[in-house]
Amino acid sequence: MTVADALLFSAGYNAAVVALGCAAFGLAAGALGCFVLLRGRALIADAAAHATLPGVAGAFILAALIGWDVRALPLLLAGAGATAALGVVLVNALAGGGRIRDDAAMALVLSIGFGIGVVLMSVVQSLPVGGQAGLKGFILGQAAGMSAADAQLVGALAVLALLLVGVLFRPLAALCFDRGFAAAVGLPVRALDLALLGLMLAVTVAGLRAVGLILVVALMVIPAATARLLTERLEAMVPIAGGVGAVSAWVGAALSATLPDLPTGATITLVACALFLAALLFAPRRGALAFAARQAMLSLTVARDHALRAAFEAAERAPGATHRWVELGRGAGWSRWQRAVLPRWLAAAGWVRAEGERIALTDAGLALARDLTRRHRLWEHYMQAAGGLGPWAAHRAADEVEHTLPPEVAREAEAWLRRNDPARLPAEGALPAPGEAPTAPR
Amino acid sequence: MTQFLQLDLAAMLAATFACLVCGLIGNLLLLTRQSLLGDAISHAVLPGIVLGFWVSGSRAAPPLVAGAMLAAVAAALLIALLRRLTRLEAGAAMGVVFSGFFALGIVLIEVSGAHAVDLDVDCVLYGQLEALIWPAASGPGSLLDPAALAEFPAETTTLAVVLLLTLALLAAFWKELRLACFDPDFAQAIGFAPRRMSLLVLVLVSVACVAAFWAVGSILVIAALVAPAAIARLLTDDYATQFGLSAVAAVAMGAGGYWVAALAPAAFGLGHGLNAAGMIAVVAGVLLAVAWAAGPFGRRRRLALAGGSD
């Protein structure tokens, strides 16, 4: 079997059902994870997931003692759900005293619950029945050993959780964004919190067999965090997170089905991490590249503004003044890469024209430079009049804000000057008198 | 006696030392409200341990500690970077980073072939206390015999050294840590660098995680980090007593857990031994429950508060 076979459902009926079941689980985990993340419940989900181990092992021991089928997935999952719920209750009880904070309570329930499970697992090893090896799959996930019936159960649980998320979408969204508001408009917030907790436990339990209890929380957190990078709207975030979860679970399960040494949970988590890293780099607004591009553009614009202002002030003193790039750039504090880029940009945009060895502002460049200079002087006046700064400090302060604050704020500042210190502001359209500040930028 | 020396001494000492190191450092985590950092670091150091093991091919401590510290610092930086870039809340950023690191560690174990030698997934999950034996012991005299002592398991001696270092560091920074724990604002105001202190805590926790790794694995180490401090916190308000009580609790859970795991199977007629690392966490749970039910700051206080407000 190759990876392609496993991905395209052509590796046999059982493998196809398992892949679909895993994908359904990923879909539900990703979608629900958005609410879990926004409500700040990611870590309690982790604690609950680790606390499923005693339930799984306990159910196995119980089944072996009564003589039931120890491999019956519904029984093992029921045990898992029971101890996970108990774990959540214990976190609240421990943290309720105010002596142990909830982060410590979660760490305690997580580790002690897991420890009890580990001891029970060593008891399981001594039982005279078969099937012990399968239990280890609950810790790190082993999709390869799943039967079609197991996968159908997981898929059914996932679809059920997904349907409930769909039905409760609005109230859950209200709960996650503003619990106080949700309570004020009459939503039963306590019941909703419980419902979210219940859904979280159901999805956790559904994922145990495929992803394993240690990493099941990864499939709630990572897809939701990925979607958060791509959108701000919950209506888009939930489907994106579901999609990321489904793709990770499907690809990860296929990879681990072909390379049986790889624990499924770890493989699925790494696929989800890869998608997260891709989003972190390439997300259109919050991505690292978009962030770097915005920073570069801002620093380029600032450098351009400085140069144009210097050129304009030269033109005020002597109309038609010409410049050399070297001096202009040095005066405006251009860095090396800015010296390479900015002359091309200024020329291509038609703001400067060449005059032999030297350059001069075009009419369009003059108009832009005039606007920029006006904006700068306006801020200088504002800083002096409203902020009481001296000329040099006002110049520096204006330089700090003029490139980043939006134009409507600049208009507010202008309106303030017009009301409170109109002498600083000549007639509409005219340029304020040159600030007393030295005009060299920076 | 010889059997005890051969089979149990090294493992029991390793369990006790591991719980002591983690439990003492855990006080700093609990008092600075960073218990989750222990959770995150214990998961995140795994790829570092695997890489250190892979590169050096041995269980010698320095490469593993170096790898683990690298991984811990990388994880801490990544969490900070994610929080800045994505404005995710702390818990979510931690969840992304530590589950990713842990998954990477597990996959590295499988693909690097480390599992063929000494390091396998079972060790990560359950620890390897049972593997710490001292076959060279032939009687009480071996405790003084340099030739036999040279064969003493290196994991246990490493833990003893780490314990001494931890004690020395705690003694050296006793007042400073107390300040950082109880009044971080004042500590900052008098020019005391809280960042350097939190870096120290980060390094200490990652060293403790590596040191305890062979004894209890990467998940049960969280119990060793958090439980002793939490038990002490339920019993006292005093800084020095907090450390003392947590040390007592750590020894009780380390040595006690090992003994229960070793003795209970015979007592109950089980055919198979119980996992010692898991039993350490179970004993910690029992101690915690007792402290909560009977201690002055646990259930009784809650009842008193509830009674007062009725």
Side-chain angles (χ1 to χ4, degrees), chain A residues 416-426:
Chain A
W416 187 93
L417 277 179
R418 184 154 291 130
R419 277 197 310 278
N420 293 292
D421 201 351
R424 287 181 177 272
L425 207 68

Side-chain angles (χ1 to χ4, degrees), chain B residues 10-38:
Chain B
M12 196 183 77
L13 284 179
T16 312
F17 292 162
C19 288
L20 260 176
V21 170
C22 293
L24 288 173
I25 293 171
N27 284 312
L28 303 178
L29 287 180
L30 191 88
L31 295 178
T32 54
R33 297 163 191 170
Q34 306 187 78
S35 297
L36 287 173
L37 193 66

Side-chain angles (χ1 to χ4, degrees), chain A residues 222-233:
Chain A
I222 300 175
T226 311
R228 187 96 179 79
L229 285 171
L230 298 173
T231 177
E232 309 251 318
R233 292 173 41 243

Side-chain angles (χ1 to χ4, degrees), chain B residues 39-87:
Chain B
D39 196 350
I41 291 178
S42 65
H43 282 74
V45 292
L46 185 60
I49 292 180
V50 181
L51 276 182
F53 184 77
W54 195 14
V55 169
S56 71
S58 81
R59 289 177 165 209
L64 300 193
V65 170
M69 273 199 219
L70 211 65
V73 171
L77 288 179
L78 253 181
I79 290 172
L81 180 78
L82 280 193
R83 291 192 64 188
R84 262 193 74 171
L85 276 180
T86 66
R87 315 246 162 84

Side-chain angles (χ1 to χ4, degrees), chain A residues 99 122 126 136 140 214 229, chain B residues 86 122 233 236-237 272 275:
Chain A
R99 201 61 190 168
S122 58
S126 66
K136 223 180 120 188
L140 284 171
I214 295 181
L229 285 171
Chain B
T86 66
D122 278 3
R233 185 90 182 105
T236 183
D237 252 341
H272 196 282
N275 181 285

Side-chain angles (χ1 to χ4, degrees), chain B residues 9-260:
Chain B
L9 179 68
M12 196 183 77
L13 284 179
T16 312
F17 292 162
C19 288
L20 260 176
V21 170
C22 293
L24 288 173
I25 293 171
N27 284 312
L28 303 178
L29 287 180
L30 191 88
L31 295 178
T32 54
R33 297 163 191 170
Q34 306 187 78
S35 297
L36 287 173
L37 193 66
D39 196 350
I41 291 178
S42 65
H43 282 74
V45 292
L46 185 60
I49 292 180
V50 181
L51 276 182
F53 184 77
W54 195 14
V55 169
S56 71
S58 81
R59 289 177 165 209
L64 300 193
V65 170
M69 273 199 219
L70 211 65
V73 171
L77 288 179
L78 253 181
I79 290 172
L81 180 78
L82 280 193
R83 291 192 64 188
R84 262 193 74 171
L85 276 180
T86 66
R87 315 246 162 84
L88 284 173
E89 48 133 0
M94 272 189 186
V96 170
V97 172
F98 76 63
S99 48
F101 269 56
F102 188 79
L104 185 67
I106 294 286
V107 167
L108 275 179
I109 288 181
E110 297 293 351
V111 300
S112 68
H115 62 295
V117 223
D118 272 328
L119 176 63
D120 60 5
V121 172
D122 278 3
C123 175
V124 176
L125 298 177
Y126 318 123
Q128 268 188 348
L129 276 179
E130 291 81 357
L132 301 181
I133 49 172
W134 188 26
S138 54
S142 302
L143 285 172
L144 301 172
D145 176 11
L149 279 178
E151 302 280 305
F152 202 72
E155 289 85 351
T156 309
T157 15
T158 308
L159 268 169
V161 172
V162 172
L163 177 61
L164 288 178
L165 279 177
T166 308
L167 288 173
L169 270 175
L170 282 179
F173 290 103
W174 183 245
K175 277 194 207 145
E176 287 83 349
L177 287 169
R178 174 183 197 150
L179 202 57
C181 286
F182 287 109
D183 204 343
D185 296 334
F186 180 63
Q188 189 158 20
I190 61 170
F192 185 75
R195 287 193 91 159
R196 216 177 304 153
M197 221 19 99
S198 59
L199 188 68
L200 177 70
V201 171
L202 188 78
V203 168
L204 277 176
V205 173
S206 53
V207 172
C209 285
V210 189
F213 178 77
W214 300 111
V216 292
S218 337
I219 295 172
L220 293 169
V221 71
I222 301 167
L225 276 169
V226 187
I231 293 167
R233 185 90 182 105
L234 286 172
L235 298 175
T236 183
D237 252 341
D238 181 68
Y239 181 65
T241 319
Q242 165 83 24
F243 276 84
L245 281 177
S246 67
V248 173
V251 172
M253 70 187 261
Y258 184 82
W259 268 113
V260 175

Side-chain angles (χ1 to χ4, degrees), chain A residues 168-180:
Chain A
L168 294 176
F169 191 93
R170 287 277 145 223
L172 279 180
L175 176 78
C176 291
F177 281 119
D178 193 342
R179 194 173 191 271

